[in-house]
Amino acid sequence: MTASLLLRNVRPYAGKAVDLLIENGTITQVGANLSAPAGVAIEDGRGEIVIPGLVEAHTHLDKSLLGLPWYTNEVGPKLLDKIDNERMNKKRLDIDPERQSARQSILSSLKGTTHIRSHVDIDTEHGLWGVEGVMKTHDAYRDIVDIELVAFPQSGLLRRPGTLDLMDQAMQAGCEIVGGLDPCTIDRDPKGHLDAVFGLCQRYGKPLDIHLHEPGEVGAFSLDLIIERTRALGMTGKVTVSHAFCLGTPDPALIDPLIEELAELDIAIMTTAPASRPAPPVKKLLQAGVRVCSGSDGIRDTWSPYGNADMLERAMFVGLRNNFRRDDEVRLALDVCTTEGAKVMEIEGYGLEVGCVADLVLLPAESIAEAVATRPPQRRVIKRGKIVARDGVSIRTAP
C-alpha cells in the first residue's frame, strides 16, 4: 500500500519551490532538482502548494445518507428528538453502516482527507451493527484513508440499560477510543456516566473523546468533572472534549480557569466552528497551549442536510467563526484541520519533513489564505506516496 514518487516543483505551505522524493510511502528527500531513482514515477507539481493531508477529527461515518433518496427532515428541535428519530429510522431508511461509511470515506479522500476519526453509534436497538460496518470500511479502504473508531453511546449510556455492556464489547472488538455524551442532560447522572466511560478507558488503556453539547454553566460543570477525573486517573494528554459549546460563553471568570486546566492536563478540544451555537475560542485556546482540532460532524444525515466532507471548507468555517482575517490567522484555521488534528489523533510521521509518511495534498493557489478562501476543486491527493484522487476523481468507486 506504499509507493514511490518524485514530486517536482511544489511549494510546502506556499513557500519556495522544491522537489519531494517519496520512497516506499515515506518522504526521503526535500530539495531542489532532485534525481529520480530508477523506476520512480515523476509528478509535475506545477508550482502548486503542498500541505500534509487534511485531518477529519470528528465525523459519523455510519450515519450519512449519501447516495440515498433525499430525506425530508421534520424532526423536533431537541437533541433527544434527533437522537430518537435517527435510531428508530436507520433500518427503514436503509442506512447501512458499511455502505454509507465507504461512500463518505471516498468523498473525504477525494477532498484531501487522509485521516478520519469516526464516532460510531452503539445502542441497544442496533447493537454493534455500526461498528461492524465501519470496521469493514476501515479495512477495505485503508489504501486511501486511515480510519479511527470511537465507540459512541449516541442514545445515552445509563438511560438505556445494556448499552455499557455493548460499549465494552465494542472496545473488545477493536474500537480505539471510548466515547461519551452530555453527562448531565442526556443520562442525567454525571457521576455515573463519567465513572462508566473513564472506567472503560482504564480497563482497555484507551483515550476518551466525549461529546459535550451542554451550554453555559451546566457545560462548565460537566467539563470541570471531566478535568477532575483526567487528573485523578493520570490521563493527561488522553482526553478530547468535542464541541465544548460551554467554552463559547462570554464570561472570562467562568471560562478562563477551565482553559488553564485544559492546558495543564493537555485535554484537547474539537470544534466544528458552528454557526448556530456558542463556539470555543480557537486562538485563545491555541495561545494557552490547548490542542484544537476540527471535523465535519454529520454529513447529510437525518440531523441535517448540510456537509460535504471538505476539511478545507471546514478551515474556512473555523476562520469565519473566529473572525480570522489576516493571512497568519487563516493559516491557524488550516492548522486546526491539519497539524493540530494530527496531534489530537496522535498520528505518527505526520508532516512535510524527511521521514514523514507521504500523505499530502496539492492545491493550485498562490497562498494558504487563498487556498482556504477559494477552496479549489482541482486537488491531487497522495496517500502513502500514491496518488489516490485527482481533480475530484478517486481511484476507488463508491458502492
Side-chain angles (χ1 to χ4, degrees):
M1 293 189 293
T2 61
S4 299
L5 181 70
L6 178 61
L7 276 178
R8 287 210 183 278
N9 188 25
V10 293
R11 295 182 299 122
Y13 285 113
K16 68 176 183 179
V18 295
D19 299 341
L20 268 66
L21 179 60
I22 300 163
E23 297 179 281
N24 297 319
T26 300
I27 300 172
T28 58
Q29 293 185 52
V30 178
N33 302 313
L34 298 180
S35 299
V40 172
I42 299 174
E43 179 79 10
D44 182 4
R46 303 192 293 262
E48 294 180 1
I49 296 172
V50 62
I51 62 172
L54 294 159
V55 177
E56 169 68 87
H58 186 105
T59 192
H60 299 265
L61 290 176
D62 58 317
K63 300 188 178 193
S64 174
L65 291 164
L66 290 170
L68 297 177
W70 189 259
Y71 171 74
T72 300
N73 191 331
E74 299 174 319
V75 182
K78 297 178 182 178
L79 184 62
L80 278 174
D81 293 336
K82 297 174 177 62
I83 290 171
D84 292 343
N85 173 72
E86 179 181 58
R87 187 184 64 255
M88 292 185 295
N89 286 289
K90 278 183 179 177
K91 294 284 189 179
R92 182 182 69 82
L93 295 171
D94 192 27
I95 307 177
D96 177 75
E98 180 182 359
R99 182 187 64 238
Q100 297 310 116
S101 61
R103 289 173 176 175
Q104 184 176 325
S105 295
I106 291 171
L107 179 61
S108 291
S109 169
L110 65 85
K111 298 284 187 179
T113 289
T114 55
H115 294 83
I116 295 173
R117 174 178 286 186
S118 176
H119 297 253
V120 183
D121 285 7
I122 292 167
D123 60 64
T124 53
E125 193 157 332
H126 299 100
L128 300 186
W129 186 41
V131 168
E132 291 162 355
V134 177
M135 280 187 171
K136 290 177 182 177
T137 295
H138 166 282
D139 295 339
Y141 292 86
R142 63 193 318 159
D143 58 331
I144 63 171
V145 66
D146 288 313
I147 299 171
E148 183 178 74
L149 278 75
V150 183
F152 179 47
Q154 173 71 91
S155 293
L157 187 60
L158 306 180
R159 68 190 291 266
R160 294 180 67 87
T163 304
L164 183 55
D165 288 340
L166 289 168
M167 290 278 289
D168 189 271
Q169 292 174 36
M171 298 309 297
Q172 291 182 41
C175 285
E176 294 99 331
I177 312 286
V178 176
L181 173 70
D182 296 340
C184 289
T185 56
I186 297 296
D187 273 340
R188 300 189 178 188
D189 181 356
K191 180 184 184 301
H193 183 95
L194 294 177
D195 284 349
V197 296
F198 274 96
L200 285 171
C201 292
Q202 294 292 295
R203 189 176 308 151
Y204 291 99
K206 297 296 186 181
L208 173 70
D209 190 331
I210 182 168
H211 282 59
L212 188 61
H213 305 98
E214 297 166 356
E217 292 185 355
V218 174
F221 172 71
S222 289
L223 184 55
D224 191 49
L225 293 180
I226 293 167
I227 290 168
E228 178 183 64
R229 278 164 174 72
T230 302
R231 179 180 286 111
L233 296 172
M235 286 186 61
T236 296
K238 296 299 181 182
V239 175
T240 300
V241 180
S242 288
H243 301 299
F245 296 151
C246 61
L247 292 178
T249 303
D251 181 359
L254 181 67
I255 299 309
D256 288 356
L258 291 172
I259 291 178
E260 185 177 334
E261 291 186 286
L262 293 173
E264 175 194 345
L265 294 170
D266 192 17
I267 296 173
I269 297 295
M270 190 296 302
T271 179
T272 62
S276 60
R277 294 288 186 273
V282 166
K283 184 184 286 190
K284 186 173 185 176
L285 287 165
L286 291 173
Q287 289 175 341
V290 178
R291 291 173 295 150
V292 182
C293 61
S294 190
S296 302
D297 205 3
I299 293 176
R300 205 197 129 201
D301 55 19
T302 62
W303 292 55
S304 165
Y306 304 115
N308 60 5
D310 188 353
M311 287 304 295
L312 196 60
E313 182 176 85
R314 188 60 49 179
M316 181 189 73
F317 291 155
V318 171
L320 287 170
R321 189 66 178 82
N322 290 273
N323 196 28
F324 289 169
R325 298 171 184 265
R326 291 167 48 104
D327 280 30
D328 56 349
E329 292 176 324
V330 177
R331 168 64 188 271
L332 278 182
L334 180 67
D335 287 347
V336 167
C337 299
T338 52
T339 54
E340 290 294 318
K343 291 176 187 176
V344 172
M345 289 183 60
E346 299 184 82
I347 300 169
E348 296 183 2
Y350 182 89
L352 300 178
E353 295 77 31
V354 170
C356 291
V357 177
D359 292 347
L360 312 169
V361 186
L362 273 63
L363 302 166
E366 182 178 344
S367 67
I368 292 295
E370 182 188 4
V372 172
T374 63
R375 305 170 311 284
Q378 300 81 16
R379 307 175 197 180
R380 284 174 280 179
V381 185
I382 297 169
K383 182 64 180 174
R384 287 186 282 269
K386 181 179 180 180
I387 297 177
V388 297
R390 189 188 295 271
D391 297 337
V393 179
S394 173
I395 64 169
R396 301 296 300 270
T397 301

